[in-house]
């Protein structure tokens, strides 16, 4: 499970959602292989350019909840 090639392709939702493979690879190298609940809820609406308000405890991934879809749109 520590093989980066396995990790980078182990989340088909990210690929299907249009996340760039380079982003997936970097996340995988950092051990991030799936969305947290707040990230999973926010991703599609943000990519679809809808306004999103996220409220969650500290450390639950809110920054990436907004950053990952933004990266997807920029790429």
């Amino acid at each position: 499970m520590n093989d980066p090639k396995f990790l980078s392709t182990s989340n088909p939702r990210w690929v299907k959602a249009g996340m760039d493979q380079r982003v997936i690879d970097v996340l995988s190298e950092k051990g991030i292989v799936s969305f947290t609940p707040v990230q999973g809820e926010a991703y599609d609406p943000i990519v679809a350019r809808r306004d999103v308000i996220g409220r969650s405890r500290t450390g639950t991934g809110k920054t990436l909840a907004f950053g990952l879809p933004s990266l997807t749109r920029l790429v």
Side-chain angles (χ1 to χ4, degrees), residues 12 17 21 24 30 33 40 42 56 58-59 64-66 72:
Q21 187 63 46
I24 295 171
K30 303 290 182 187
V33 295
S56 187
T58 299
L64 282 179
F66 292 96
T72 298

Side-chain angles (χ1 to χ4, degrees):
M1 193 73 167
N2 291 329
D3 180 5
K5 290 185 180 187
F6 171 76
L7 293 175
S8 69
T9 59
S10 66
N11 192 327
R13 177 168 187 236
W14 288 359
V15 175
K16 185 178 177 183
M19 191 179 296
D20 189 87
Q21 187 63 46
R22 295 171 292 184
V23 175
I24 295 171
D25 292 343
V26 169
L27 291 172
S28 298
E29 289 172 8
K30 303 290 182 187
I32 302 169
V33 295
S34 63
F35 285 142
T36 65
V38 69
Q39 293 164 351
E41 290 291 324
Y43 189 85
D44 291 330
I46 293 173
V47 170
R49 299 178 181 217
R50 295 198 317 246
D51 292 338
V52 173
I53 296 173
R55 184 173 170 192
S56 187
R57 294 184 61 87
T58 299
T60 59
K62 290 182 298 296
T63 301
L64 282 179
F66 292 96
L68 292 176
S70 299
L71 284 173
T72 298
R73 288 183 51 205
L74 287 171
V75 172

